[in-house]
Amino acid sequence: MLDHFPIASYNYKPCSIVTYSYGQYGGVRAAMQLRSLLGELGLVTPQFIFAVGGVHEALTEDGSPLRDDVETGAEKVAKQLEWYARTLKNGREQTGVPT
């Protein structure tokens, strides 16, 4: 999928990382590797990584949250992504991107 788009199309675009696992750490180790890869592509990742540990106890089969931390984490990651998207878009439009 990454080869489908020109590499420059990723530059200065925001993305969030959401991971989950059966265990307590929620895929955080995978998120760290992914953050590095996304940075090399030119994507900007917000500070917050939404990691859901114990996913079998966090969500119903249809994806409804069973715990408060899942709902608050989803809201936080969405707010940060929206802020980064707006800010980076304004920056690209007003000053362009560094070359």
Side-chain angles (χ1 to χ4, degrees):
M1 184 69 176
L2 294 175
D3 292 339
H4 181 74
F5 300 102
I7 195 72
S9 66
Y10 298 108
N11 286 338
Y12 301 98
K13 302 281 177 44
C15 67
S16 289
I17 299 173
V18 178
T19 60
Y20 65 91
S21 76
Y22 189 83
Q24 65 181 351
Y25 298 111
V28 172
R29 286 184 285 185
M32 294 297 101
Q33 298 299 316
L34 185 57
R35 178 176 267 172
S36 178
L37 171 70
L38 295 171
E40 287 298 316
L41 289 172
L43 292 161
V44 178
T45 58
Q47 176 184 3
F48 181 67
I49 293 174
F50 181 29
V52 181
V55 71
H56 60 290
E57 299 169 342
L59 302 168
T60 64
E61 286 188 26
D62 70 351
S64 299
L66 293 171
R67 299 188 322 228
D68 290 340
D69 66 308
V70 175
E71 208 162 327
T72 57
E75 289 173 7
K76 184 173 181 176
V77 77
K79 285 180 183 177
Q80 281 194 6
L81 183 60
E82 181 182 4
W83 185 89
Y84 272 81
R86 188 172 39 256
T87 302
L88 289 169
K89 182 180 181 203
N90 289 340
R92 287 189 308 271
E93 290 173 351
Q94 291 175 9
T95 61
V97 296
T99 55

